[in-house]
Amino acid sequence: DIDEDFDFEGFMMYLEDEGIEIKRNFGAMYSHQCLKGLGVNENCPNAKWIGDYGGHIGIHRYLSLDDLNYIIGTISNFYR
């Protein structure tokens, strides 16, 4: 189910406070100007939610298993 009350700003601040950099998504793909006029269906509530409340965490080949476990644990703790 889509959680319309999700506090994405709070989630971002929590991760930043825990030393994890997160960047906001760029909106739903169908809303991008480059896709206008291609007949992309704009009735995509899940895509809109991810576009509005999604983020991405930078990754690179030097992340260790400990780093990944820290990220996973920190995100899990946010939801407890």
Side-chain angles (χ1 to χ4, degrees):
D1 293 329
I2 296 173
D3 182 359
E4 297 293 337
D5 297 323
F6 180 66
D7 180 14
F8 186 68
E9 297 300 323
F11 178 65
M12 286 181 58
M13 288 192 311
Y14 170 77
L15 292 180
E16 293 280 343
D17 288 347
E18 297 297 320
I20 300 170
E21 292 184 23
I22 182 170
K23 303 297 180 204
R24 201 170 189 65
N25 274 351
F26 306 111
M29 290 300 293
Y30 67 78
S31 69
H32 289 238
Q33 189 64 34
C34 65
L35 297 178
K36 296 289 184 193
L38 294 179
V40 177
N41 184 353
E42 295 185 14
N43 186 19
C44 305
N46 291 336
K48 180 174 177 0
W49 192 91
I50 291 294
D52 291 344
Y53 300 104
H56 55 274
I57 296 170
I59 60 170
H60 53 81
R61 66 183 186 163
Y62 298 110
L63 284 175
S64 68
L65 186 56
D66 286 342
D67 294 330
L68 296 174
N69 285 330
Y70 177 74
I71 293 167
I72 292 166
T74 302
I75 292 172
S76 295
N77 288 338
F78 179 81
Y79 288 101
R80 290 189 183 144

